[in-house]
Amino acid sequence: MWNRIKWHIQKFMMGRNGRDELETAVFYCSIFVYLLGGLFRLGLLQIFAWFGLLYSLFRVISKDVCKRREENRKFLQRLEFLKLRISMRKTHKIYRCKGCNRKIRVPKGKGKIEITCPMCGKKMIRRT
């Protein structure tokens, strides 16, 4: 009996996306938001959590595998960039150029230095 149910589920999931990192992140965030909404008696948070759960279910059973893989790839790239920014925060300081609004990364612990923007050439003196 259980083997037959398992076979039907496997047959249904053939050609579908299945679970991936983005689906897992959305699922766990939705559960967390749902619990927060229940704890603080905020029904609106619980409604948002249900939308997240439905979106994660949609990702699992979607047959557009190429599109879901591309979304997951972009999510993983952003996650990797975020991890890099967090680890870089300990060794570098980021300033924004007043001229072109570009972010400039300089090493920490160098004292007062003159920073030249590589884009527009504007100079500024900052403490690192």
Side-chain angles (χ1 to χ4, degrees), residues 1 3-4 7 10 12 28 35 40-41 47 50 54-55 58 73 75 81 83 100 102 104 117:
M1 166 99 178
N3 286 336
R4 185 178 167 133
W7 180 80
Q10 286 176 347
F12 174 76
Y28 285 125
L35 292 175
F40 294 113
R41 298 191 190 333
I47 291 171
W50 276 107
L54 289 174
Y55 179 68
F58 162 74
R73 185 188 63 77
F75 168 72
F81 179 73
K83 287 179 184 177
C100 63
R102 181 184 174 145
I104 305 168
C117 177

Side-chain angles (χ1 to χ4, degrees), residues 88-89 91-95 104-108 127-128:
M88 190 174 51
R89 214 177 54 174
T91 58
H92 290 81
K93 191 155 180 137
I94 298 175
Y95 292 103
I104 305 168
R105 181 178 67 125
V106 294
K108 278 187 175 180
R127 183 175 302 278
T128 61

